Amino acid sequence: MATATDRAVGFGLVAFSLILFVYYTLWIIVLPFIDSDHSIHQYFLPREYAVIIPVVAGLLLLLFIGVFIMVVMWKSRKPAKKSD
């Protein structure tokens, strides 16, 4: 059974993900159909960041996964036997 702290953290992560998804969807799908002089454009980054940010985030994720695997393999390695 999850504790109250676990539920609060889970709710926070789900809420953050939902907000991020809605923001990105509006930025990529809806914003191109709104006039460029509309005031809503001030709340969004330029469109080239719509590609740059996910690519950098994906590369960082792959880097952290690789480092994690490297550390786990390094720690689980057995010492070599010395033979006389």
Side-chain angles (χ1 to χ4, degrees):
M1 185 92 185
T3 64
T5 304
D6 292 339
R7 289 179 185 222
V9 169
F11 179 76
L13 288 172
V14 169
F16 175 74
S17 299
L18 181 64
I19 290 170
L20 189 64
F21 176 76
V22 169
Y23 179 85
Y24 193 77
T25 302
L26 287 173
W27 184 23
I28 299 305
I29 297 175
V30 176
L31 206 61
F33 297 107
I34 299 175
D35 292 333
S36 60
D37 59 345
H38 196 275
S39 64
I40 197 168
H41 283 275
Q42 68 184 353
Y43 299 111
F44 295 93
L45 292 171
R47 290 195 45 95
E48 56 266 6
Y49 289 109
V51 174
I52 294 171
I53 292 172
V55 167
V56 169
L59 289 174
L60 285 174
L61 178 67
L62 288 174
L63 173 73
F64 287 131
I65 290 172
V67 168
F68 175 75
I69 290 172
M70 182 184 70
V71 168
V72 168
M73 289 178 66
W74 186 283
K75 287 187 177 184
S76 66
R77 138 185 117 147
K78 295 180 180 178
K81 295 181 180 178
K82 290 187 176 180
S83 59
D84 292 329

